[in-house]
Amino acid sequence: QKNEMVLSLLVDRFSFAAHWESRELPVYNLLVAKGGSRLKEAKSGDPYTNGLKDDQGQSSPGMVRVGYGAVDCQAVPITSLLEVLSNLAGRTVVDQTGLTGKYDIQLRWRPEGSRPDAGGGEGEESETDFFTALHEQLGLRLVPSRGPVRVLIVDHIEKPSPN
């Protein structure tokens, strides 16, 4: 509902018009590293694993929390991790792991540009960069590639109408 309201505002105030297209752009393929995945399967007794229900009765996909140099997930499928990894890596991440379960994930790294002794991270601090941490802590790796990416094309926009 919120997206529809924002779109209505953009159309009304800015004469906004746009469409979605698929374009061949740089992506990362998410693969299991040599030595195998280090992901921990979610325990069957955990609330998120059993599928908490929201107000509309929809089952929860698990819990995801992203902080400064930290990602914590509980009972999430790899598909839920893709959006987080895409945001952190700066490009679309495509799952090629073949992993189908739900996982409890804890990932720590030193954010780019931060000093090793700067602190501010969630929980224990890490000296490793994001890509190395992903490999060492989760047994996953991101491999640069090209692939189809859904992009928003703005067809028309004007200065806003007066209030």
Side-chain angles (χ1 to χ4, degrees):
Q1 286 178 341
K2 190 180 355 176
N3 288 344
E4 291 173 16
M5 289 171 49
V6 170
L7 180 58
S8 176
L9 172 75
L10 290 172
V11 170
D12 290 346
R13 294 288 312 272
F14 297 90
S15 298
F16 177 78
H19 69 279
W20 290 97
E21 277 183 15
S22 182
R23 293 201 175 161
E24 192 81 10
L25 295 172
V27 299
Y28 283 116
N29 291 329
L30 180 65
L31 303 167
V32 174
K34 288 183 181 177
S37 164
R38 294 191 183 112
L39 295 175
K40 296 176 186 163
E41 289 269 352
K43 297 177 189 93
S44 62
D46 290 346
Y48 289 105
T49 306
N50 295 336
L52 290 177
K53 305 286 185 188
D54 63 16
D55 295 339
Q56 288 77 38
Q58 298 292 318
S59 181
S60 170
M63 183 277 300
V64 177
R65 193 180 99 180
V66 181
Y68 186 74
V71 172
D72 291 297
C73 304
Q74 186 176 353
V76 297
I78 291 297
T79 54
S80 293
L81 186 61
L82 293 178
E83 185 175 341
V84 172
L85 294 177
S86 294
N87 288 331
L88 293 169
R91 64 173 78 160
T92 299
V93 174
V94 179
D95 179 25
Q96 294 189 343
T97 63
L99 300 171
T100 59
K102 289 188 175 186
Y103 303 94
D104 293 337
I105 297 168
Q106 186 178 65
L107 179 64
R108 300 288 184 268
W109 71 96
R110 186 183 71 244
E112 193 172 315
S114 68
R115 295 188 332 264
D117 62 347
E122 305 283 329
E124 62 271 8
E125 297 172 17
S126 176
E127 297 297 317
T128 60
D129 66 89
F130 172 71
F131 291 91
T132 303
L134 187 68
H135 183 254
E136 291 176 352
Q137 296 171 30
L138 303 182
L140 302 174
R141 62 189 181 113
L142 294 174
V143 178
S145 185
R146 291 187 66 80
V149 176
R150 191 170 178 233
V151 294
L152 179 67
I153 307 299
V154 176
D155 298 316
H156 181 81
I157 193 162
E158 297 176 2
K159 287 187 177 184
S161 62
N163 286 335

